[in-house]
Amino acid sequence: MSMKAPRRLEPARDRGADVDAHALGERLRHLRAERGMTLNQVADGRFSAAFLSQIERGLARPSPANLGHIAERLGVDLETLLRTTPREVDREIAELRLTEARAAVIRDEPARALKVLASLPASLTDLDRLDAGLIRADALVRNGEYDKGMAALRTAGEMRGADTAEARVRVAEIACRAHYRRQRYHQALDALREAQGIVGDAAIDPMTRSRFLCARGMCQFMLGNEQAAISDYEAALDASGNLTDLSELGRIYDALNIAHQSLGNLAEALTYARKSAQIFEVLQNGRSVGQTHHNMGELLVRQGNHDEAVAAFERALGAFRSVDALGPQAYALHSLAGIALQRGDLDQAERLAADAAAIAERCDDRTTQGDVAQLRGLVAVERGDLVGAEQHLADAIAAFDEVGIGRRLADACFHMGSLLQRRGEESRALTFALRAYSTSREVRLDR
């Protein structure tokens, strides 16, 4: 008998020796609680309840014989006793759900990301807790809950591990997005400057660096610095190297398309537009598919190919409707109205512009509202409704002035000046003409 017992317990010693004491303790406590047993009932006089309590807290490790006794009292075999612990299970669940939430954010499905985060296990490591906090802040921002998103970001920024280079860049990137989506482009750029000195750190993940550079390029573009934007986009491509984040790659190509269009480099723009369109069609990302086709439509308009442009804008509108993206829907209708205006179809232009305005009013996007109001003003001018045109242009100027977009503001002021001159109001016309000139000059100096 004494010869057989050690041989029977030897495998348990080999297996149990590699089990973390805290993990084993959690497993014992979990199994005991499941069975409604007390410490004394499990110890059963073989050892004290206090000793078993120490084992459960990871402060003591049982001998093979005592481990065998515990397994017997709990009614399980040693394999079950040494199986993955609740903490390890929670860790696996946390990793899976964080990955799922991160993917939902990348797909621009913030509501889905927030739902996944709500199902995370209560027990998280410090790094997982920080990751969850940053994903939550990003999802709230993308969901249009900017104040809640910034509050969540501040909370995440105070967590353990938030002082690392990687975390600081992520915090800056999310803060930038919050300001950018509210058309506060100077503040967005300032947020990125907080981490600009560490973005080249070797510890920074290449895709994080790429996203940072792309975000900075987008801010530069919206502030009228197209060439600086292109430099940042190209640097973002270099930073991503051979990594295969297709969503990010598609966004960079799309951004390069827009920037080159703005500079009149239509051949380069078309090359990047085609690349981004191919990527997003493969990914079947509704919002990105819509944006890519919309940008393709704008390029085709500049090339004078209105029929293909209409088809592109209609594809964009369908994609935006599939994901209920209100602001982009308004832009697609705005673009279709613009083509109708160029073709002289004022009835269709007015109808499409009114539809765009109705949708724009439902979203918190002053840039979209300003663009639609300006187009409605131009349609009204063509119809001879100069009073209505003045009101629409005044709305556009107010919107662009609020968000601080110099180029758009200068354009709206120019149209207002032209309208007032046509009405014979020379003094007011001169005021808006001078404002258009000074705003344009400020934009050029900012570059």
Side-chain angles (χ1 to χ4, degrees), residues 25-46:
E26 279 195 30
R27 182 63 171 160
L28 293 178
R29 185 167 62 251
H30 177 73
L31 290 171
R32 182 172 61 80
E34 273 188 343
R35 287 152 179 75
M37 298 178 70
T38 66
L39 291 168
N40 280 321
Q41 285 175 329
V42 175
D44 195 34
R46 184 179 181 100

Side-chain angles (χ1 to χ4, degrees), residues 79 117 122 151 155 184 198 232 267 274 277 288 333 384 429 435 446:
E79 291 294 340
L117 290 174
T155 299
R184 299 172 179 175
I198 59 173
D232 275 335
R274 286 172 173 162
S288 296
L333 287 165
R435 188 176 182 189
D446 283 343

Side-chain angles (χ1 to χ4, degrees), residues 27-309:
R27 182 63 171 160
L28 293 178
R29 185 167 62 251
H30 177 73
L31 290 171
R32 182 172 61 80
E34 273 188 343
R35 287 152 179 75
M37 298 178 70
T38 66
L39 291 168
N40 280 321
Q41 285 175 329
V42 175
D44 195 34
R46 184 179 181 100
F47 42 76
S48 69
F51 178 62
L52 180 56
S53 176
Q54 286 185 313
I55 294 172
E56 289 190 354
R57 286 180 290 149
L59 302 178
R61 184 184 291 276
S63 66
N66 284 340
L67 195 59
H69 169 77
I70 292 170
E72 182 180 348
R73 291 297 298 161
L74 291 173
V76 297
D77 57 29
L78 287 172
E79 291 294 340
T80 299
L81 195 62
L82 298 175
R83 193 176 298 159
T84 303
T85 66
R87 176 179 290 179
E88 290 169 326
V89 170
D90 282 353
R91 172 69 177 142
E92 291 175 3
I93 292 172
E95 286 182 351
L96 288 172
R97 290 182 181 164
L98 286 171
T99 299
E100 185 180 354
R102 202 177 298 114
V105 165
I106 291 172
R107 293 193 305 269
D108 210 12
E109 298 174 1
R112 173 63 183 165
L114 292 170
K115 184 177 180 181
V116 172
L117 290 174
S119 66
L120 280 171
S123 176
L124 294 174
T125 66
D126 288 338
L127 287 178
D128 284 346
R129 189 172 293 107
L130 173 60
D131 196 17
L134 292 173
I135 295 172
R136 174 176 171 77
D138 199 2
L140 287 167
V141 166
R142 291 172 186 262
N143 205 40
E145 301 177 72
Y146 302 115
D147 292 337
K148 288 184 179 179
M150 291 301 288
L153 188 61
R154 286 190 292 272
T155 299
E158 295 171 357
M159 292 180 182
R160 185 176 298 177
D163 56 347
T164 64
E166 181 81 17
R168 287 172 62 191
V169 171
R170 287 181 68 189
V171 167
E173 183 187 355
I174 296 167
C176 168
R177 183 172 295 112
H179 290 303
Y180 185 93
R181 291 201 170 197
R182 296 170 102 168
Q183 291 87 46
R184 299 172 179 175
Y185 303 117
H186 286 290
Q187 293 95 320
L189 198 56
D190 287 341
L192 292 178
R193 290 193 180 107
E194 292 292 322
Q196 193 161 299
I198 59 173
V199 75
D201 193 304
I204 300 297
D205 175 75
M207 287 312 304
T208 300
R209 185 180 299 115
S210 178
R211 285 195 305 270
F212 180 95
L213 292 166
C214 189
R216 190 172 69 184
M218 292 171 68
C219 293
Q220 297 280 18
F221 177 79
M222 294 307 296
L223 291 171
N225 306 321
E226 291 93 342
Q227 199 57 59
I230 289 174
S231 295
D232 275 335
Y233 296 148
E234 290 175 344
L237 285 176
D238 290 340
S240 63
N242 295 321
L243 299 181
T244 55
D245 186 334
L246 290 181
S247 294
E248 185 65 19
L249 189 59
R251 279 191 286 271
I252 297 172
Y253 284 149
D254 204 33
L256 281 163
N257 159 35
I258 298 169
H260 278 293
Q261 278 195 59
S262 182
L263 291 175
N265 305 329
L266 302 189
E268 291 89 341
L270 185 58
T271 297
Y272 287 119
R274 286 172 173 162
K275 287 182 177 181
S276 61
Q278 290 172 349
I279 288 174
F280 289 125
E281 289 289 355
V282 168
L283 294 176
Q284 296 183 329
N285 182 318
R287 182 182 287 268
S288 296
V289 167
Q291 191 62 59
T292 302
H293 281 299
H294 192 276
N295 293 338
M296 184 82 76
E298 290 180 332
L299 179 56
L300 291 165
V301 166
R302 297 192 66 180
Q303 292 179 327
N305 192 339
H306 289 167
D307 290 338
E308 286 192 31

